[in-house]
Amino acid sequence: MKMSKRERAISIVNNQNKLELIQVRRDFIEIDSVLTGLCKTKKSLLEQIDIQESEFRAMQQPGAQLDLHRLSEIGGWLNSAAQDVQTLDRSINEAESDLRIQLEKLAQLEAAQEVIKQKMLDERSSQWAELEQRTERDISELNNPKNLRSTELSYGA
């Protein structure tokens, strides 16, 4: 059966929607990968902070040998690491927000895909109904006694 203009238009929209779905899924995977990397980096940095803080506290205990240079070095590193954690937190929040946006887009595109499928089914159903009506009309005309006589004459029956 030949595609109608409406069916071709629906098919084009369907293909565009599928392409957009693929792109949004790729973006989602990419953002998720970045988010995973940021979280691993933050975890590693927090572990290093914990180690440095332990050393910092140990140096401040009564009776511990006081190394002011090392104490200053650790303090500077901890300050810098705290800023890095804040930056990572902002990046993680942005990535999570981007991920939520991609999820919303996916949901919208998948809902649109269902609507498109239904429209395609409706269009095909409509075409089949029209074809059935034409077939019934043609059969009715062939069975009509007036048409039967002219058919017999034209075919020499």
Side-chain angles (χ1 to χ4, degrees):
M1 190 185 321
K2 186 178 172 185
M3 282 180 113
S4 69
K5 287 182 181 180
R6 179 172 162 74
E7 195 173 10
R8 277 194 302 274
I10 293 170
S11 179
I12 289 168
V13 170
N14 183 39
N15 290 336
Q16 289 171 336
N17 192 63
K18 285 180 181 178
L19 289 173
E20 194 171 346
L21 255 170
I22 290 168
Q23 186 58 48
V24 169
R25 284 182 181 139
R26 284 182 181 157
D27 292 346
F28 179 88
I29 291 168
E30 185 179 318
I31 293 168
D32 185 58
S33 176
V34 167
L35 182 59
T36 300
L38 289 169
C39 288
K40 285 180 181 178
T41 300
K42 181 180 175 183
K43 180 182 177 190
S44 175
L45 184 58
L46 290 174
E47 288 170 355
Q48 289 298 317
I49 288 173
D50 189 45
I51 291 168
Q52 294 296 323
E53 283 178 339
S54 294
E55 185 179 344
F56 191 76
R57 275 188 242 107
M59 291 177 74
Q60 293 177 334
Q61 295 295 321
Q65 187 171 3
L66 191 58
D67 181 351
L68 292 177
H69 176 71
R70 179 70 181 137
L71 200 61
S72 173
E73 197 176 83
I74 292 173
W77 186 90
L78 287 172
N79 188 36
S80 175
Q83 291 173 355
D84 291 346
V85 168
Q86 288 176 343
T87 301
L88 281 168
D89 282 340
R90 281 192 299 274
S91 296
I92 288 169
N93 288 338
E94 288 174 17
E96 287 173 341
S97 175
D98 291 346
L99 211 54
R100 279 189 293 277
I101 290 168
Q102 293 304 313
L103 278 174
E104 290 170 7
K105 284 182 184 178
L106 276 173
Q108 290 170 353
L109 289 168
E110 287 171 354
Q113 193 66 33
E114 288 303 314
V115 170
I116 291 168
K117 284 179 187 176
Q118 189 59 49
K119 286 192 179 291
M120 289 177 84
L121 289 172
D122 292 348
E123 182 63 22
R124 288 184 184 142
S125 177
S126 171
Q127 287 177 352
W128 276 108
E130 187 180 314
L131 186 60
E132 285 176 343
Q133 286 176 350
R134 269 192 266 148
T135 303
E136 287 174 9
R137 189 175 56 241
D138 290 348
I139 290 171
S140 173
E141 286 180 18
L142 288 173
N143 288 333
N144 185 337
K146 289 180 185 176
N147 291 337
L148 191 57
R149 179 70 182 138
S150 80
T151 305
E152 286 174 356
L153 290 175
S154 65
Y155 286 108

